[in-house]
Amino acid sequence: MPVALVRLSVRACAQPTHPSRETWQHGGVTAATHSTLFPQVPDSADAVLEGLDPEQREVATALRGPVCVLAGAGTGKTRAITHRIAYGVRAGILQPSSVLAVTFTNRAAGEMRGRLRQLGAAGVQARTFHSAALRQLQYFWPKAIGGSLPRLVDRKIQLVADAAAACRIRLDRGELRDVTAEIEWSKVTQTVPADYAPAAAKAGREAPRDPAEIAQLYAAYEDLKRARSVIDFEDVLLLTVAVLQDRHDVAEQVRAQYQHFVVDEYQDVSPLQQRLLELWLGDRDDLCVVGDASQTIYSFTGATPDHLLDFRGRHPGATVVKLVRDYRSTPQVVHLANGLLAQARGRAADHRLELVSQRPAGPEPGYAEYSDEPAEAEGAARRIRELIDSGVPAAEIAVLFRTNSQSETYEQALADAGVPYQLRGAERFFDRPEVRKAGSALRAAARFGGNDSLLDDAVDLPSQVRAVLSGEGWTTEPPAGSGAVRERWESLAALVGLAQDFAAARAGATLSDLVVELDERAGAQHAPTVQGVTLASLHSAKGLEWDVVFVVGVAEGMMPITYAKTDEQIEEERRLLYVGVTRARERLHLSWALARSPGGRPNRRPSRFLKGLRPGSGTAGGQAAAGGAGGVERGFRGGGGGAAAAPRRTQRTPARCRVCGRTLTDAGEMKLMRCEGCPSDMDEGVYERLREWRAVQAGRSGQPAFCVFTDKTLMAIAESVPEDERELARIPGVGMRKLNRYGTDVLAICAGQEGVGLDEDD
């Protein structure tokens, strides 16, 4: 298995005994992103560590000093950091009230709190940046400023409209939304109205109006807020930063409360959030950050991966752990995801992680081309109908698109096919009228159920919930069709399913216990699963996963989007597609249409991002993986026991063909160390025996043959016929992980030994 740990300092806490490989490698580890809804609480600190793989375990036990976790998609980052907090709490190293874990959505914060509670670490604060800042601001405002905190406006777009009217500038609905986004970007990057124009130009932003007009609107918006004594979402962070900077007594009080910080999705931190984090920390370094530069897809809001990528520069003695074991997706999905990033350019690409699937082999990704967008939607709906009929739950299927405007076509196609669906980003689950009404009914039954004849025959919690919700419209069989009646039934069915899971996990649970659980979930917006196909934009799909994913509209002009002009914008579009691809656990379908409307001119082309990856699309212009999966780096310690220095980059000489001397740039040629057209001195017998051996190894591991060694690597081995591990390790494509796992077999084959690896257990 891959070793993906980079340690630049020695941990201050003791390392527990490592589990045997069988504990985590052969089924003992819970799928990193597929956990039981209500697991049993571990009975000890060491029990918290059970089932973690070696790298997750390193995260969980590195409890002192700065820690940076580089976590690829599906590698169990939330699992690792929640177990880290829980282990520290259960071992008595961390006080629950002294830990502040921050993330970016209420849903993620709610999930983190739930997992910590299930691990026996209740009392830890897990919040969004804004929620944590708002609590502090509300508490300290009377002391630091005086009076009551101004009212927080839920939606700033009406204020922007009023500011435009005051400036006598006419904005249509689209411009109003875009100007609002520019104001938000300005505030999170700490740009004042007078500096907007040069700051936007420097950042390469395409302003929706003349920059001078936007600066004028921004200034008018701020004046209007002051006149009305209101603040917006970004003001919460700005004001908290101002209070902590200006009032040292307040800052010290906050720092006395929180001594240990964990930041999830660190690649999405804005300059303003980073400043707030620095003020929380003060001169301490008990900070753990988790992120993946390859999943940076919100730079238009001010997010930047620079804070993640520069972490070792700011904290030279940091422990850095790489999580690359992908527990979510099949090798086929992971191969496509790795292929997408192999073609990437830029700073984030230089730090990409090469994922290694831990799942059995699955079907190859499917590619489909259609004449127009309605035909593409009908094709997806038809295939989804077939999947549901074959037994795939509708809730385990998603259709992901680049823009929300694409949704309507798929809503219509699914409705025509009789497929239930839910639109992500629409009304939140606990805000739905039927869910609110059902909650009230369950609450009343919990209080007065003894007098309710509906519950006379209900013998357990699930039957009580079914009885109560039957009065709200739930039935054992779903209604026909996919309209509002079906949507209401799906909401109630989700509550019934949640009650069943809750009762199975907590023996003797009552209706009152379930009502408390629902209230906690409502506060965190941690909704249960609704049985319907999910329709979602690629941006809103971040952090989610499904068994089957349809990524649609993968055509030039949509992916990358038309207005992505610069290299940085194009690369962000590539990362967005990568996020979409890595949402799939088992089946992945990508499609595009040649025209927008039936009869339209078929002038669209498949996305450039698929070149070299889909069948018949030529060769990808990729580059060798950088900073991917393998190896252990150790920092250099200076004299006197000072902090470890960041490892120095070594200058690499260009690879040259060993036959003609030409500089090599193609990854395949670099593996062979010769041009594709130059003569080969390969030992054909060794090559064929290596291929036979590889087929057996692939069959045993349930992975495609290329996951053992690629054809090019086998050719390179057969050409050089290494005699020892040192010579074998020099061959590109081998690496320490594969050398440790396969080196003995490969060297035996090269030495002419018979039957190697063909009739022994791996």
Side-chain angles (χ1 to χ4, degrees):
M1 300 302 291
V3 178
L5 164 69
V6 184
R7 291 181 58 207
L8 302 181
S9 68
V10 179
R11 288 188 308 278
C13 59
Q15 167 76 28
T17 303
H18 275 262
S20 65
R21 293 184 71 191
E22 287 74 13
T23 304
W24 54 268
Q25 186 181 348
H26 299 295
V29 65
T30 306
T33 55
H34 230 165
S35 60
T36 305
L37 187 59
F38 298 104
Q40 298 299 312
V41 175
D43 58 10
S44 67
D46 285 344
V48 172
L49 302 178
E50 292 178 1
L52 299 181
D53 70 30
E55 292 77 53
Q56 292 172 344
R57 195 180 180 92
E58 288 287 348
V59 175
T61 54
L63 292 171
R64 297 298 185 194
V67 178
C68 179
V69 183
L70 302 176
T75 58
K77 67 179 179 63
T78 305
R79 177 182 175 85
I81 59 176
T82 52
H83 281 68
R84 178 182 191 270
I85 296 170
Y87 174 70
V89 168
R90 300 290 297 276
I93 299 170
L94 304 177
Q95 293 299 315
S97 60
S98 73
V99 180
L100 178 59
V102 289
T103 187
F104 283 81
T105 66
N106 287 323
R107 180 186 178 278
E111 181 179 352
M112 193 178 292
R113 285 195 296 271
R115 292 201 195 191
L116 289 169
R117 188 170 66 245
Q118 292 158 5
L119 291 169
V124 172
Q125 291 293 307
R127 297 185 173 277
T128 64
F129 269 101
H130 287 86
S131 173
L134 182 59
R135 278 172 61 91
Q136 294 174 18
L137 199 60
Q138 289 170 330
Y139 182 81
F140 290 111
W141 186 271
K143 174 181 178 180
I145 308 298
S148 300
L149 181 69
R151 180 175 62 86
L152 179 64
V153 294
D154 292 330
R155 297 175 70 248
K156 62 173 66 68
I157 199 161
Q158 184 56 54
L159 272 173
V160 176
D162 293 345
C167 295
R168 298 184 178 180
I169 296 175
R170 294 177 61 87
L171 299 176
D172 61 29
R173 182 177 298 179
E175 289 176 320
L176 193 59
R177 184 182 63 247
D178 292 342
V179 168
T180 301
E182 289 302 294
I183 291 174
E184 291 173 348
W185 172 83
S186 298
K187 299 185 78 164
V188 300
T189 56
Q190 302 176 78
T191 302
V192 298
D195 294 338
Y196 168 78
K202 183 178 180 181
R205 295 183 72 83
E206 288 193 14
R209 302 275 299 205
D210 180 272
E213 280 190 334
I214 293 180
Q216 182 185 2
L217 288 166
Y218 180 13
Y221 169 80
E222 293 296 313
D223 290 341
L224 204 55
K225 284 200 291 100
R226 282 190 290 271
R228 297 181 182 179
S229 297
V230 296
I231 59 175
D232 63 23
F233 211 46
E234 290 71 39
D235 288 332
V236 171
L237 299 184
L238 285 164
L239 290 170
T240 305
V241 164
V243 168
L244 294 176
Q245 285 180 160
D246 295 343
R247 292 292 299 265
H248 295 292
D249 56 331
V250 171
E252 289 307 314
Q253 194 170 341
V254 171
R255 292 167 192 160
Q257 171 71 50
Y258 298 116
Q259 285 96 45
H260 195 91
F261 298 85
V262 177
V263 184
D264 193 13
E265 303 287 5
Y266 194 55
Q267 77 279 353
D268 290 333
V269 165
S270 70
L272 180 56
Q273 289 164 332
Q274 176 64 20
R275 179 59 185 145
L276 178 59
L277 179 61
E278 291 167 354
L279 288 166
W280 282 339
L281 273 167
D283 58 2
R284 301 163 301 171
D285 65 358
D286 273 336
L287 168 66
C288 174
V289 301
V290 190
D292 178 10
S294 296
Q295 296 188 69
T296 304
I297 59 174
Y298 297 107
S299 63
F300 60 91
T301 67
T304 171
D306 289 346
H307 305 301
L308 174 68
L309 300 179
D310 293 338
F311 191 83
R312 274 190 285 183
R314 297 194 309 277
H315 303 281
T319 297
V320 180
V321 185
K322 293 181 181 178
L323 303 183
V324 297
R325 305 177 201 267
D326 187 322
Y327 297 94
R328 177 187 298 159
S329 305
T330 63
Q332 288 73 16
V333 173
V334 167
H335 179 63
L336 176 57
N338 286 338
L340 279 171
L341 292 189
Q343 303 179 39
R345 297 290 185 272
R347 193 176 183 214
D350 291 341
H351 294 79
R352 66 184 178 274
L353 300 168
E354 187 169 1
L355 301 178
V356 181
S357 175
Q358 308 298 296
R359 297 199 57 185
E364 291 291 337
Y367 301 88
E369 183 176 278
Y370 294 91
S371 58
D372 52 65
E373 289 183 3
E376 183 182 4
E378 290 167 9
R382 185 166 56 250
R383 181 69 183 120
I384 289 169
R385 179 75 269 171
E386 293 169 357
L387 288 166
I388 293 173
D389 291 344
S390 70
V392 178
E396 291 297 346
I397 303 173
V399 178
L400 307 181
F401 33 75
R402 176 61 180 84
T403 67
N404 288 320
S405 63
Q406 295 170 268
S407 169
E408 186 177 355
T409 305
Y410 288 88
E411 292 180 59
Q412 185 62 55
L414 291 174
D416 291 344
V419 174
Y421 65 85
Q422 56 174 328
L423 187 60
R424 182 162 181 82
E427 188 175 35
R428 296 191 292 189
F429 180 83
F430 288 103
D431 291 339
R432 298 176 185 177
E434 66 271 19
V435 174
R436 287 177 175 273
K437 193 175 178 185
S440 297
L442 290 170
R443 195 170 288 105
R447 290 179 182 173
F448 313 113
N451 300 322
D452 193 337
S453 59
L454 273 175
L455 303 182
D456 288 347
D457 298 325
V459 295
D460 56 15
L461 176 60
S463 60
Q464 289 175 338
V465 172
R466 288 192 292 267
V468 172
L469 297 187
S470 65
E472 303 300 323
W474 179 82
T475 56
T476 55
E477 293 296 325
S482 58
V485 173
R486 176 63 182 248
E487 290 177 3
R488 286 194 294 273
W489 184 89
E490 296 286 1
S491 297
L492 299 177
L495 293 175
V496 170
L498 180 66
Q500 292 169 342
D501 290 331
F502 188 71
R506 302 191 184 182
T510 66
L511 261 179
S512 296
D513 296 330
L514 178 64
V515 168
V516 171
E517 175 70 20
L518 289 175
D519 287 342
E520 290 178 352
R521 282 172 165 263
Q525 288 300 327
H526 187 190
T529 300
V530 175
Q531 284 302 322
V533 172
T534 300
L535 295 176
S537 71
L538 288 163
H539 281 101
S540 66
K542 177 80 165 60
L544 303 176
E545 58 187 78
W546 298 268
D547 285 347
V548 186
V549 170
F550 290 78
V551 184
V552 300
V554 191
E556 288 291 310
M558 193 61 73
M559 182 62 63
I561 199 77
T562 305
Y563 51 75
K565 304 293 187 185
T566 67
D567 291 343
E568 291 82 2
Q569 291 168 341
I570 295 294
E571 288 306 316
E572 180 138 340
E573 292 289 299
R574 187 193 308 276
R575 295 193 295 268
L576 189 56
L577 180 57
Y578 172 79
V579 167
V581 165
T582 54
R583 300 310 96 194
R585 297 191 195 108
E586 298 173 7
R587 295 186 180 97
L588 175 66
H589 301 268
L590 300 101
S591 63
W592 58 91
L594 298 177
R596 180 173 183 179
S597 305
R601 187 176 178 183
N603 57 359
R604 292 181 174 178
R605 304 190 318 277
S607 170
R608 71 191 76 174
F609 300 146
L610 298 182
K611 185 177 180 182
L613 301 176
R614 64 182 179 86
S617 61
T619 303
Q623 55 186 11
V632 177
E633 293 180 24
R634 301 190 185 279
F636 300 99
R637 301 191 69 84
R648 292 180 294 178
R649 292 175 178 256
T650 57
Q651 292 291 327
R652 293 185 179 179
T653 57
R656 298 186 182 279
C657 174
R658 55 190 169 82
V659 179
C660 70
R662 184 179 69 86
T663 299
L664 303 176
T665 56
D666 179 76
E669 292 183 341
M670 291 171 71
K671 280 189 177 182
L672 295 174
M673 291 305 293
R674 64 172 175 81
C675 302
E676 194 79 51
C678 284
S680 168
D681 53 356
M682 181 175 69
D683 186 320
E684 296 287 349
V686 169
Y687 180 66
E688 289 305 318
R689 293 179 62 212
L690 285 170
R691 284 174 57 86
E692 292 175 12
W693 166 84
R694 181 181 66 173
V696 172
Q697 297 299 322
R700 288 172 178 166
S701 63
Q703 293 187 329
F706 64 78
C707 290
V708 180
F709 285 119
T710 65
D711 287 344
K712 285 291 196 319
T713 300
L714 293 188
M715 291 174 66
I717 294 171
E719 287 184 355
S720 60
V721 192
E723 296 182 355
D724 55 35
E725 287 191 352
R726 190 170 183 177
E727 292 181 5
L728 179 58
R730 290 197 188 110
I731 297 174
V734 177
M736 289 304 299
R737 178 176 66 85
K738 293 186 178 181
L739 180 67
N740 292 335
R741 187 170 186 181
Y742 303 126
T744 302
D745 278 4
V746 171
L747 290 171
I749 291 171
C750 291
Q753 297 179 20
E754 297 294 332
V756 175
L758 300 182
D759 52 12
E760 299 177 0
D761 289 336
D762 184 25

